Amino acid sequence: MPLKHKIKTRTYASLSIILVAMITVWGCKSGENYVQPDLNLPATFKSLSSDQSDSSKNDTSNIGKLAWREFFEDSTLVQLIDKGLKNNLYLQQVQKETDIANEGYKQSKANFLPQLTAILEKRDDRYSENSSTRENVKYYENKETPNQWYVARANNLAAVQSSWEIDLWGKLRRLKEANQAQLRQREAYTKAVETDLVAEIATSYYRLLMLMEQKQVAEYNLRLNDSTLSIVNLQYRAGEVSSLAITQTESQKLISASLVPQIERELEVQKNRLNELLGEYPKDSMEVVSGLGDTRLLSEIAVGVPFELIQNRPDVKAAELALIEANARVGVSQAMRYPSLSLSAQLGYDAINFSNVVNPGSLFGVFVGSLTQPIFQNRKLKTRYRISLSERDIAELSFREKVLQAVAEISNGMVTIQKLEEEYALAEKRLINARKAVKESYLLFSSGYATYLEVINAQSNALDSELYMVDVKMQMLIANIELYRNLGGGWK
């Protein structure tokens, strides 16, 4: 056979071997790329009418995509939220955990690069005449070898050492993917904590406003009781009523008076709670100086579609990123079962005497390529792989559960707001009737056409109606905040 033909045949054979090896490597790559599971999401949230669901597809109308500065119009509340986002201690802890995850991601990217180590070593192995070693012939050349404490080996080394693991099966790539997902998961979790903090500050703020308004109502009712008691005293002196009327009227006044310290106690507790959210110690002064008053509510509520939750809501996004991380770690544990290829090299100077370390005659180099295949590891690799598969299944179930929970929370929020609006309308009518009854009973009582009991009952009903209406209004505000939080809180 001609030499040229032999060379050509060997070339084809080599190429064939390389091609088969490449196909084998590609076929054994670790893990599968992430594909979002089919969540079977409904087209709209429960309790939404068709025209609302259509309008909610507009990005500008979905309140879950509004930044919190646009959602909250109260300038005092905006300042408090700004302070809380800056000073809240728990949020700062979460942000530090994100920094830790970022360092882990940077480490996983650096795994693709070779390691480089500088070595500077001086070594003397010394023994005595009864040792089972022999002296270094070169070290004692032209010298008399001692019997005690002689040098068996001398080594002075100055070198650079490098090692590099070749990512044959994608283990390092999957590890990088897992750490990147972990970083993004921590970022999403940080946004979830920020969203919760914004909602908690707003809720605490509105509770504070509610208590202030309730205090005003209680104090006004107490003044009204004073006026009623004065009239009863006049009628008692005129002999028109008995002492029982004075006793019962005073009892009603004491009931009204007891509300004031109760509300003041809750007010102080709520102030301390708000200060805690702001990362501050309890203090006497507080920026909040008014009640609910004419606090504006959202006139139109659009919640988008359930599919948007996966991108808008940070805790749902974090759950999906946990699934992405678990999927990548399956690839890592799978690649651990395959052969690993590593290259290492060492280059430098090695001499017996320190004075010869930088001598060209002391130059040395070591180059090693190793392919290792685990065979029997006490089932550790198989167990790790099986566990990673189960952990991925758990992460997927957790993601599905989080989505299901989010859809249910928004549906509940919509129903809550709708029913609270109906309840508020009834509370307004109830309050109008109660105020009218107080006015009429007072006029009739002053003219002698009504008893003091009718006045007391009318005032008691009016007080309950006032406090109830303030409470319902506060619940409506909180329901709007909760719905905003459940839709994502504008974290993007």
Side-chain angles (χ1 to χ4, degrees), residues 80-308:
L80 292 173
I81 293 174
D82 266 329
K83 185 182 293 185
L85 292 175
K86 179 181 179 181
N87 298 333
N88 185 267
L89 298 178
Y90 179 67
L91 178 58
Q92 292 179 25
Q93 294 176 53
V94 172
Q95 290 169 342
K96 290 297 181 182
E97 291 174 358
T98 303
D99 294 340
I100 293 173
N102 187 37
E103 293 300 324
Y105 174 56
K106 290 179 180 178
Q107 172 65 59
S108 64
K109 291 197 297 184
N111 287 339
F112 292 92
L113 303 174
Q115 299 182 27
L116 190 63
T117 306
I119 303 174
L120 185 61
E121 179 181 304
K122 177 174 177 57
R123 175 177 177 176
D124 282 345
D125 293 355
R126 293 181 175 271
Y127 299 93
S128 299
E129 58 182 342
N130 294 327
S131 301
S132 60
T133 58
R134 296 184 63 183
E135 65 275 10
N136 191 314
V137 177
K138 288 187 177 181
Y139 185 84
Y140 291 109
E141 189 174 4
N142 302 323
K143 297 179 183 178
E144 182 180 353
T145 305
N147 293 327
Q148 279 294 115
W149 204 239
Y150 61 85
V151 177
R153 180 182 177 187
N155 181 35
N156 295 279
L157 179 69
V160 176
Q161 180 177 297
S162 177
S163 61
W164 186 21
E165 181 180 357
I166 308 300
D167 192 25
L168 282 178
W169 322 107
K171 178 181 71 176
L172 300 181
R173 180 171 62 87
R174 292 299 183 190
L175 184 61
K176 174 188 172 184
E177 182 182 334
N179 280 275
Q180 184 181 32
Q182 188 178 58
L183 171 60
R184 293 176 59 200
Q185 182 185 354
R186 294 306 309 178
E187 291 173 344
Y189 180 70
T190 301
K191 292 297 182 183
V193 173
E194 290 179 357
T195 300
D196 288 343
L197 180 60
V198 169
E200 289 294 327
I201 292 174
T203 299
S204 183
Y205 173 77
Y206 285 129
R207 288 189 187 278
L208 201 57
L209 297 186
M210 176 201 70
L211 290 169
M212 287 182 172
E213 188 159 325
Q214 286 184 339
K215 181 183 176 183
Q216 293 173 0
V217 170
E219 289 174 341
Y220 172 77
N221 189 75
L222 185 58
R223 292 193 296 271
L224 198 59
N225 287 147
D226 281 334
S227 178
T228 303
L229 182 59
S230 298
I231 296 176
V232 171
N233 280 323
L234 290 174
Q235 290 183 336
Y236 174 73
R237 294 191 188 99
E240 297 177 2
V241 295
S242 66
S243 61
L244 179 62
I246 296 178
T247 303
Q248 288 185 320
T249 306
E250 288 178 341
S251 177
Q252 180 62 34
K253 177 185 174 182
L254 291 173
I255 292 174
S256 298
S258 66
L259 283 175
V260 176
Q262 291 178 22
I263 293 173
E264 288 177 343
R265 180 194 65 205
E266 295 178 10
L267 197 57
E268 289 303 313
V269 171
Q270 196 61 47
K271 285 182 180 179
N272 293 340
R273 169 59 180 162
L274 185 54
N275 278 317
E276 181 184 353
L277 292 172
L278 301 180
E280 298 178 342
Y281 291 108
K283 57 185 179 181
D284 295 331
S285 61
M286 197 71 189
E287 293 87 346
V288 182
V289 293
S290 63
L292 285 176
D294 297 325
T295 302
R296 296 180 60 182
L297 301 172
L298 292 176
S299 57
E300 294 183 3
I301 296 176
V303 297
V305 293
F307 179 76
E308 292 177 320

Side-chain angles (χ1 to χ4, degrees), residues 10 43 141 158 207 327 335 388-389 392 415 426 429 432:
R10 290 178 180 175
E141 189 174 4
R207 288 189 187 278
N327 180 73
S388 66
L389 289 175
R392 181 177 63 184
V415 172
L426 294 173
K429 293 180 181 178
I432 292 172

Side-chain angles (χ1 to χ4, degrees), residues 201 223 251 354 368 452 457 466:
I201 292 174
R223 292 193 296 271
S251 177
F354 185 77
V368 179
Y452 67 91
N457 288 334
E466 291 270 10

Side-chain angles (χ1 to χ4, degrees), residues 230-438:
S230 298
I231 296 176
V232 171
N233 280 323
L234 290 174
Q235 290 183 336
Y236 174 73
R237 294 191 188 99
E240 297 177 2
V241 295
S242 66
S243 61
L244 179 62
I246 296 178
T247 303
Q248 288 185 320
T249 306
E250 288 178 341
S251 177
Q252 180 62 34
K253 177 185 174 182
L254 291 173
I255 292 174
S256 298
S258 66
L259 283 175
V260 176
Q262 291 178 22
I263 293 173
E264 288 177 343
R265 180 194 65 205
E266 295 178 10
L267 197 57
E268 289 303 313
V269 171
Q270 196 61 47
K271 285 182 180 179
N272 293 340
R273 169 59 180 162
L274 185 54
N275 278 317
E276 181 184 353
L277 292 172
L278 301 180
E280 298 178 342
Y281 291 108
K283 57 185 179 181
D284 295 331
S285 61
M286 197 71 189
E287 293 87 346
V288 182
V289 293
S290 63
L292 285 176
D294 297 325
T295 302
R296 296 180 60 182
L297 301 172
L298 292 176
S299 57
E300 294 183 3
I301 296 176
V303 297
V305 293
F307 179 76
E308 292 177 320
L309 282 176
I310 301 172
Q311 295 298 325
N312 293 345
R313 184 159 157 164
D315 58 337
V316 174
K317 189 63 179 177
E320 184 180 23
L321 288 166
L323 174 56
I324 294 174
E325 179 188 356
N327 180 73
R329 295 202 181 279
V330 170
V332 174
S333 59
Q334 183 179 355
M336 296 289 289
R337 307 171 71 183
Y338 298 154
S340 61
L341 176 62
S342 61
L343 305 177
S344 61
Q346 195 173 29
L347 182 65
Y349 296 92
D350 181 17
I352 295 175
N353 295 312
F354 185 77
S355 58
N356 294 327
V357 168
V358 293
N359 192 307
S362 303
L363 185 66
F364 81 99
V366 179
F367 305 95
V368 179
S370 62
L371 185 67
T372 58
Q373 168 64 54
I375 298 176
F376 180 70
Q377 303 289 326
N378 302 104
R379 205 182 181 273
K380 292 179 182 178
L381 298 180
K382 184 177 182 180
T383 299
R384 181 175 179 178
Y385 176 65
R386 293 286 182 85
I387 290 175
S388 66
L389 289 175
S390 296
E391 288 175 341
R392 181 177 63 184
D393 293 340
I394 292 172
E396 180 177 342
L397 292 171
S398 178
F399 175 45
R400 291 180 180 276
E401 182 184 24
K402 182 61 71 175
V403 173
L404 182 65
Q405 177 186 352
V407 174
E409 286 175 348
I410 293 171
S411 299
N412 292 341
M414 291 296 298
V415 172
T416 300
I417 291 175
Q418 291 170 359
K419 295 305 175 183
L420 280 173
E421 288 175 349
E422 296 175 12
E423 190 175 354
Y424 186 76
L426 294 173
E428 282 184 314
K429 293 180 181 178
R430 171 182 166 182
L431 180 58
I432 292 172
N433 288 336
R435 286 175 175 173
K436 183 179 179 182
V438 169

